[in-house]
Amino acid sequence: MARKIAWAAVTALWAWSAGADDLPRWNIVAGESSLAFVAEQAGAKFRGRFEMFDADVRFDASRLSDSRATVVIDMASATTFESERDGILRGEGWFEVERFATARFEADRIEGNGDGFKTVGRLVLRDVSHPVEFEFDVTEDRNSRRLDGRARLDRIALGLGLGEWEDPAWIGADVIV
């Protein structure tokens, strides 16, 4: 049974505009959106985030089969607010940002999931595609829509932090994004 990386939280506030194919296109509101993660080092949890990412989300709850999402993440923008750890994270065996500047998530399908939604898609990280399920909720008011989501990932299954970092006793296998 594969280990699961901790739940990851994504919060994005989107402004609505009509797309060419008549699905609502959600535009990310940069100052009010985040792509964050939680991991564990030496038994203590730490938080981080990707400061730069972009998304093309076309979502309509009444047209799930037509809905789609793509998120592109600038991997060099990862920060855990600790410079030594950030340098390791961007380097060899981890994100390798010099060779792989971005990661990409693309939804293959979006479906209802209880009170919320689930997208099944692919995360392309360091040029390797990994299946990922991403659960999310949508809230709306007059001027905006908010998407709050989470995914379970396994850093070892993603090929991150192998070799000297592979032992999950030092760096946990579970990561929340």
Side-chain angles (χ1 to χ4, degrees):
M1 181 177 210
R3 281 174 261 166
K4 298 291 182 184
I5 294 182
W7 283 102
V10 178
T11 301
L13 187 64
W14 309 86
W16 180 86
S17 66
D21 58 5
D22 88 338
L23 276 177
R25 183 173 194 275
W26 296 26
N27 298 312
I28 194 164
V29 178
E32 300 177 39
S33 301
S34 66
L35 177 56
F37 58 91
V38 176
E40 189 175 293
Q41 179 180 2
K45 291 195 184 302
F46 67 90
R47 296 186 179 277
R49 71 174 182 235
F50 294 95
E51 296 189 339
M52 297 175 60
F53 64 97
D54 196 13
D56 180 11
V57 176
R58 295 174 187 265
F59 176 81
D60 184 329
S62 66
R63 295 176 54 194
L64 292 178
S65 64
D66 295 328
S67 297
R68 62 186 183 276
T70 302
V71 179
V72 178
I73 305 159
D74 178 338
M75 300 306 285
S77 76
T79 181
T80 64
F81 311 100
E82 201 281 311
S83 61
E84 184 177 356
R85 182 172 44 219
D86 291 351
I88 292 168
L89 189 62
R90 292 182 188 116
E92 186 69 31
W94 289 91
F95 294 156
E96 300 183 32
V97 299
E98 293 295 321
R99 291 181 47 209
F100 307 103
T102 62
R104 178 183 182 93
F105 173 79
E106 190 160 343
D108 292 327
R109 71 178 186 275
I110 299 174
E111 55 194 43
N113 184 24
D115 291 336
F117 303 93
K118 176 175 79 171
T119 181
V120 177
R122 297 174 314 281
L123 173 64
V124 178
L125 181 65
R126 295 174 34 194
D127 285 346
V128 178
S129 181
H130 305 275
V132 172
E133 289 188 7
F134 179 79
E135 295 179 359
F136 65 97
D137 299 308
V138 175
T139 55
E140 297 184 50
D141 65 26
R142 287 182 176 176
N143 301 316
S144 65
R145 293 178 177 172
R146 180 182 174 102
L147 182 147
D148 291 301
R150 58 233 150 253
R152 280 193 178 238
L153 304 174
D154 178 339
R155 75 158 176 92
I156 295 170
L158 294 174
L160 297 175
L162 302 180
E164 71 178 293
W165 304 107
E166 189 168 6
D167 183 355
W170 177 239
I171 304 291
D174 292 339
V175 175
I176 298 171
V177 176

